[in-house]
Amino acid sequence: RLKEACRDLPLYQGLKGLGKGMEPTTQVRIPTGKVVPTLAWALPCKWVFHTAGPVFPGESNRKSALVLRECYWQALTLMEVMGLDSIAFPAISAGVYRCPMELCASTALNLVAAWPNTTLDVSFYLWPELPNLAIWQEMAGMIQGLEVL
């Protein structure tokens, strides 16, 4: 249901409202690596965390990988500060930003596995048509403490 609802999202950051007849009232450019929360409005969740991941290849893959890690780190930190207990991530910077899927999976999964709060419920939502899911499952299988569903 969340995937269906997201398909119709406007390509704007910083929405005041969402749904039929509601127009985005502001556009906010989010600095690369930062996270901005907005209300989820008509989506089946309370909050949406918007982030701007790095574009690959950037100045260097090493720098881009650090910025990618920062996106996930800031989202998890903000989640805890806001008192939330679950979060769902896409593969940040994959797709049109061309992050190699292995790097995306490794960065996200290693950060989650090392996160000090082990009671968080963290999910990743991926397009199953591509080999993405297999890459993430293989990567998760190599990291102790992660459960692959």
Side-chain angles (χ1 to χ4, degrees):
R1 194 171 153 226
L2 180 61
K3 188 165 127 180
E4 290 171 12
C6 288
R7 187 178 314 131
D8 298 324
L9 282 175
L11 298 176
Y12 294 98
Q13 303 289 349
L15 301 179
K16 181 178 179 187
L18 180 65
K20 291 192 186 289
M22 300 176 117
E23 296 295 323
T25 57
T26 59
Q27 279 187 305
V28 177
R29 288 211 180 268
I30 299 172
T32 303
K34 302 301 178 195
V35 175
V36 175
T38 62
L39 290 174
W41 297 97
L43 293 174
C45 55
K46 294 178 184 175
W47 295 95
V48 173
F49 288 8
H50 304 271
T51 189
V55 176
F56 286 79
E59 294 176 25
S60 76
N61 275 356
R62 179 166 159 50
K63 181 178 178 187
S64 294
L66 292 173
V67 173
L68 178 63
R69 184 184 184 284
E70 183 71 11
C71 292
Y72 287 106
W73 185 88
Q74 284 212 5
L76 290 168
T77 300
L78 187 57
M79 175 186 153
E80 287 191 330
V81 168
M82 293 174 68
L84 306 174
D85 58 5
S86 66
I87 191 166
F89 286 111
I92 298 172
S93 280
V96 297
Y97 282 12
R98 299 181 307 276
C99 178
M101 195 55 67
E102 293 82 359
L103 176 61
C104 187
S106 173
T107 300
L109 293 171
N110 278 300
L111 180 62
V112 168
W115 199 255
N117 183 346
T118 58
T119 63
L120 299 179
D121 178 11
V122 179
S123 300
F124 293 93
Y125 287 85
L126 310 164
W127 293 104
E129 296 86 18
L130 303 174
N132 300 347
L133 185 58
I135 291 169
W136 283 72
Q137 287 173 327
E138 180 182 342
M139 198 67 63
M142 291 189 272
I143 300 171
Q144 185 175 9
L146 289 182
E147 181 182 359
V148 179
L149 302 176

